[in-house]
Each structure stands twice: as C-alpha cells, then as structure tokens.
Amino acid sequence: MLRRYELTDDEWNRIVDLLPPENTGKQGRPRKSNRIILNGMVWIARSGAPWRDLPERYGPWETVYSRFRKWIEDGILDNIFRVLSLDAELEELSLDGSIVQAHQHSAGAKKGPPNEIGHSRGGASTKIHAVVDSYGNPVRLMIGEGQRNDITYAIPLLEHIDIEGSRVLADRGYDSNHLIELYL
C-alpha cells in the first residue's frame, strides 16, 4: 500500500540502479531495504518533521539518518538529483533566490571559501539560489552567502543547463546587461 510521501513504483524504478547494492555479503543483521530507507528520507523532507519523529515503519531514525549522511558524502543523492533533473521541462525556467537565517551556532563554522554563511546587519544568513522548470521542479541549486547579489549566481546556475529555446524568468535582482548579452 502506497502511503503519503512515499515513492511510487515508477519513481522507484527510475532511481533503483543509482543506489548502492543492498546485499553487502556481510554477516549479522540484514540491512533495511534501500526503498524503505529512501521513503523515510522523503518523508522527512516532505513533512518537515525532525528526524526523531520519523514513523517506525521506516526503521530507527538513527539508521535512516546515518544512511542519509553516507549517501550525501558518497554523492549518491547528488547523482539521483542530477539524473532526475535531465527529465526537466526546460521550455520555461524560473530563477530566484531565498535568504535563510543561519542558526546561532553557525558562528562556529570553519572560516574560508567553502563557508556559505554570510554576515550582515541582519545577522548570519545564507541564500539558496534555484532554477526550476515549468512545473516547479528543481533543475539546479546553489547555496551562497546571504548578502551576495543574486546576479552573482545567475551565470553559474545557468551555465550547466541547456537553455537553448527556453524562456528564463527572473526578478530584478538578476537584471544585468552581461547576462542578457550572454544568453541572447
């Protein structure tokens, strides 16, 4: 029985080959199936609930969370996103950014170029920049410092997408002669 927030058979069949093999050949307790674990991850992402509130049918929240972290580190979730974004409807794209206030403990984050936490009078913040397709499905995402101009991320976002024949919609934050000339 398909429950709320779970992958359909069609969705599962599109990504099953991108996941690591379930049978590792190790002795001991059998691993939870990748489908159950992934459904748990999707449940967390769609519901917005904390990990500790994960329903028991997905297994212990610690197991789902540890596999989530491992799949991020191994690039598995990035690969799934990349493969699924190939099916995007590119006739009309929307480009925008949204500021997210950083948690108070983010002040202790490592300093240097990979740190995407910006500091301004409003406090620590970061900005999520996204290109979405005609249906609102994400095609490309980037995270940047909260105080950076939107136009700074426009070209890096669009250069990885074949926008030939596409209409790109964006607000005034992306208004730039350089950007318009580059993609005309």
Side-chain angles (χ1 to χ4, degrees), residues 47-67:
S47 72
W51 285 101
R52 291 179 187 272
D53 291 346
L54 185 70
E56 291 180 13
R57 67 180 173 264
Y58 301 116
W61 72 266
E62 298 93 340
T63 303
V64 179
Y65 178 74
S66 67
R67 194 130 11 136

Side-chain angles (χ1 to χ4, degrees), residues 86-116:
L86 294 174
D87 295 338
E89 175 56 54
L90 301 178
E91 183 178 323
E92 198 169 84
L93 298 170
S94 296
L95 175 66
D96 205 358
S98 181
I99 293 178
V100 178
Q101 289 298 101
H103 192 274
Q104 63 186 6
H105 295 113
S106 67
K110 293 179 182 176
K111 306 293 186 235
N115 187 0
E116 283 88 12

Side-chain angles (χ1 to χ4, degrees), residues 30-144:
R31 289 175 51 120
K32 280 272 188 200
S33 102
N34 284 339
R35 186 168 185 169
I36 291 172
I37 296 292
L38 189 60
N39 277 332
M41 292 176 199
V42 170
W43 189 92
I44 289 291
R46 289 187 178 171
S47 72
W51 285 101
R52 291 179 187 272
D53 291 346
L54 185 70
E56 291 180 13
R57 67 180 173 264
Y58 301 116
W61 72 266
E62 298 93 340
T63 303
V64 179
Y65 178 74
S66 67
R67 194 130 11 136
F68 172 74
R69 295 299 312 161
K70 175 131 179 60
W71 288 357
I72 286 177
E73 290 169 10
D74 294 348
I76 292 169
L77 294 181
D78 279 341
N79 192 32
I80 290 171
F81 179 79
R82 211 175 340 278
V83 168
L84 293 179
S85 69
L86 294 174
D87 295 338
E89 175 56 54
L90 301 178
E91 183 178 323
E92 198 169 84
L93 298 170
S94 296
L95 175 66
D96 205 358
S98 181
I99 293 178
V100 178
Q101 289 298 101
H103 192 274
Q104 63 186 6
H105 295 113
S106 67
K110 293 179 182 176
K111 306 293 186 235
N115 187 0
E116 283 88 12
I117 297 175
H119 298 281
S120 66
R121 287 183 294 188
S125 64
T126 189
K127 191 180 273 190
I128 301 171
H129 301 272
V131 176
V132 298
D133 70 4
S134 303
Y135 299 106
N137 297 319
V139 177
R140 182 109 169 108
L141 301 168
M142 286 183 78
I143 296 177

